[in-house]
Amino acid sequence: MAHVATLRDSNGEPIDESVVLWFPAPHSATGEDIAEFQIHGGRAVIAALFAALEKIDGLRPADPGEFTRRAFENGKLDLTEAEGLDDVIHADTDRQRRQALRQLKGLLGEKAESWRGQIIEASALVEAGIDFSDEGDVSAELVAPALKKISALKAEIEETLAASAQSERLRDGLVVAIAGPPNAGKSTLLNRLARREAAIVSPHAGTTRDAIEVHLDLDGYPVTLIDTAGIRDTQDPVEQEGVRRARERARSADLVVWLVDASDPTPPEVDGDLKDMPIWIARNKIDLANSAQTSRIETVAISASRGDGIQELVARLVSFAQEFFASSESGIVSRARHRMLLRETADSLGRAVAAAGQGDELLAENLRIAIHSLGRLTGRVDVEDILDVIFREFCIGK
């Protein structure tokens, strides 16, 4: 119910004209009674309202994620939906937003509960077989359909994990490191792609000493671009540390763009530590180079300062991201926690099938472990140890 009302402090002084919304339990977002004040957004209005609320006994500011945690504890959301809400809040690109909305709709939670119910049914058959073990072949008749169901479930969970191989990476984004020798134009390229002066550009070698990160949205794909120090042999201890960090960041990237000076007559050579990485070679400064110069290993020719070839480079990065995240569009596993628990479930089901004929008790125990893992995924059992970790990432009061 909505009402227009004048909010007043304890002395009767008006604070603001407000729309007050009342959400009675259990139909609110948290399942509790909730009052919402829609006020004008001036700082003085907000400060006056907070000052008035602080004088009411029992009222306090909400902790980070507290409203969502209360919704979870009151059965309005399962744990995967709560994580989906957090992902919606922090989504930077359209594709991250779409993935987060799938999670918020409870697609993984619904599947997990369906799997959990089926494993419980199979477990009931096995437990019944144990109870009637003295009834001749009754045990075998009950265990056989249970094993069939378990095998089918294991295959379905494995397919879900395979289809979601890169889904959690979509939350974090693709990491592209710009590396190469000093003065190749790495910082200029970073600034060109970021469309702002994110890195200092200087003609002096060794200007970049530490990695600089820029987050981009390329056709809806989140990309973290890293400008690294020029990689070369040096006696400067500070620059040596910069080179070490550059190699380290490049090795941890999903793609390395190795930038070389197109005017350099020597063939470009990739740093030995990076030769096993997914790597592109980009010849920069083509506006200053002899146009007849070519290289059989050239990937793209650009001028970071003038903008030549940049659109082609961006298009190639988008294509790389599309291929890299190809399976994530339909994937429903978006966090390492989900993958770990589903992996535990599948492994427990595999052990259960392998235990067939070694004793129904061993089979039943592995099914109980699988049920427990799926229960932890949706928050139905034993999740106190992870609740604080999940909800503290939320916005204050969300």
Side-chain angles (χ1 to χ4, degrees):
M1 299 179 65
H3 302 275
V4 177
T6 300
L7 302 181
R8 300 178 184 275
D9 62 19
S10 57
N11 297 320
E13 290 295 320
I15 297 173
D16 191 21
E17 289 292 316
S18 170
V19 174
V20 180
L21 296 174
W22 172 245
F23 301 92
H27 304 297
S28 68
T30 65
E32 304 167 326
D33 289 337
I34 292 182
E36 180 178 300
F37 301 149
Q38 296 188 0
I39 62 174
H40 296 98
R43 293 183 180 178
V45 173
I46 296 172
L49 180 58
F50 279 178
L53 291 173
E54 287 172 359
K55 294 180 181 179
I56 301 176
D57 290 340
L59 261 65
R60 61 169 175 80
D63 292 328
E66 183 168 357
F67 279 91
T68 308
R69 179 162 183 165
R70 289 182 179 224
F72 163 72
E73 291 173 342
N74 291 322
K76 292 293 183 176
L77 298 171
D78 69 29
L79 207 50
T80 63
E81 291 171 315
E83 290 170 319
L85 177 57
D86 183 42
D87 290 343
V88 169
I89 294 169
H90 293 102
D92 292 322
T93 72
D94 190 57
R95 295 180 192 275
Q96 286 177 318
R97 176 189 61 82
R98 294 207 299 264
Q99 182 191 64
L101 281 176
R102 287 198 300 272
Q103 193 75 352
L104 181 57
K105 289 178 180 177
L107 298 185
L108 176 58
E110 289 176 5
K111 267 190 171 294
E113 281 304 300
S114 173
W115 292 332
R116 186 170 179 270
Q118 294 179 65
I119 298 174
I120 289 173
E121 291 175 4
S123 180
L125 291 174
V126 174
E127 297 283 355
I130 294 173
D131 291 341
F132 294 101
S133 58
D134 58 344
E135 297 292 331
D137 59 356
V138 171
S139 174
E141 292 176 356
L142 293 173
V143 170
L147 288 174
K148 183 177 180 181
K149 185 185 292 289
I150 293 166
S151 298
L153 283 172
K154 180 180 183 296
E156 186 176 348
I157 294 173
E158 296 278 9
E159 288 176 7
T160 300
L161 285 169
S164 303
Q166 296 291 352
S167 294
E168 60 257 48
R169 289 305 314 275
L170 184 57
R171 292 182 62 246
D172 302 324
L174 182 73
V175 179
V176 178
I178 303 174
N183 277 353
K186 297 182 293 298
S187 297
T188 303
L189 177 58
L190 180 87
N191 291 341
R192 173 68 66 174
L193 293 172
R195 299 183 182 180
R196 61 184 176 87
E197 297 297 316
I200 297 174
V201 176
S202 167
H204 301 290
T207 300
T208 302
R209 297 297 180 95
D210 207 351
I212 298 172
E213 294 188 6
V214 171
H215 301 283
L216 304 179
D217 179 347
L218 294 184
D219 195 30
Y221 295 107
V223 176
T224 298
L225 206 61
I226 303 175
D227 175 25
T228 63
I231 296 178
R232 66 171 179 174
D233 293 329
T234 176
Q235 299 303 313
D236 184 337
V238 177
E239 190 178 353
Q240 284 178 346
E241 177 63 16
V243 171
R244 186 194 68 78
R245 293 186 182 187
R247 287 193 173 107
E248 184 178 309
R249 295 305 303 272
R251 282 197 299 267
S252 64
D254 301 305
L255 172 68
V256 175
V257 176
W258 185 264
L259 205 64
V260 296
D261 190 334
S263 62
D264 188 345
T266 60
E269 291 188 13
V270 177
D271 186 75
D273 287 349
L274 305 178
K275 287 185 177 179
D276 295 331
M277 295 286 302
I279 194 162
W280 296 352
I281 293 180
R283 294 174 62 245
N284 188 28
K285 306 180 184 180
I286 57 172
D287 52 318
L288 304 178
N290 186 337
S291 59
Q293 284 184 315
T294 59
S295 170
R296 66 182 181 83
I297 59 173
E298 173 187 331
T299 295
V300 62
I302 64 171
S303 170
S305 62
R306 201 168 66 181
D308 300 6
I310 295 300
Q311 289 304 316
E312 180 187 355
L313 177 60
V314 170
R316 292 191 181 195
L317 286 173
V318 170
S319 297
F320 183 88
Q322 287 174 338
E323 184 176 346
F324 187 83
F325 293 121
S327 62
S328 67
E329 291 296 303
S330 58
I332 60 174
V333 178
S334 61
R335 295 192 176 219
R337 187 184 77 87
H338 304 161
R339 182 172 297 278
M340 179 192 71
L341 290 172
L342 288 179
R343 182 75 268 157
E344 287 180 6
T345 302
D347 290 345
S348 297
L349 294 179
R351 288 194 298 270
V353 173
Q358 300 178 23
D360 292 348
E361 290 80 3
L362 187 58
L363 170 57
E365 178 59 24
N366 280 297
L367 291 182
R368 280 193 287 270
I369 295 172
I371 293 168
H372 184 77
S373 295
L374 286 177
R376 290 177 61 205
L377 177 64
T378 57
R380 291 180 63 101
V381 294
D382 191 26
V383 293
E384 281 300 321
D385 56 334
I386 60 173
L387 289 184
D388 289 337
V389 174
I390 290 173
F391 290 113
R392 73 186 179 202
E393 296 176 358
F394 278 70
C395 303
I396 296 294
K398 182 60 184 172

